[in-house]
Amino acid sequence: MIKVVTGNNLKRSEVIVESSATLRQVLENNDIDYTRGVIHLDGVSIGAGDLDKTFAQMGITEKCYLLNVVKADNARVIV
């Protein structure tokens, strides 16, 4: 069993998952939209091909952070 802190810029929650679960399954089961932003696993951005890998395949054995970080540039140009 792995403790995963999952979420996005606004909310985070802890879930317990099997090591055989894929990253995509955990994101989808927790209503995290992974189509926008960058997915980070323990602070390292992962590629789209990694979403279907299991936590075991990614080397995670106990706990991790699985976050979708959306970078928004809110700078306004004043003319």
Side-chain angles (χ1 to χ4, degrees):
M1 303 300 269
I2 299 171
K3 181 173 99 172
V4 180
V5 176
T6 186
N8 55 30
N9 295 32
L10 303 175
K11 69 173 189 164
R12 294 184 183 179
S13 61
E14 290 183 5
V15 294
I16 304 296
V17 302
E18 296 286 337
S19 61
S20 60
T22 67
L23 305 181
R24 185 186 312 270
Q25 288 171 332
V26 172
L27 292 169
E28 288 177 348
N29 290 343
N30 291 281
D31 297 322
I32 304 298
D33 181 6
Y34 54 85
T35 62
R36 297 176 185 238
V38 179
I39 302 296
H40 291 266
L41 180 63
D42 280 347
V44 178
S45 59
I46 62 167
D50 292 331
L51 287 176
D52 292 317
K53 291 184 179 177
T54 65
F55 285 90
Q57 289 173 319
M58 297 298 288
I60 304 298
T61 58
E62 292 182 29
K63 59 185 177 178
C64 68
Y65 284 82
L66 180 63
L67 303 172
N68 181 40
V69 178
V70 177
K71 288 194 170 188
D73 185 1
N74 293 328
R76 191 171 108 178
V77 177
I78 300 175
V79 180

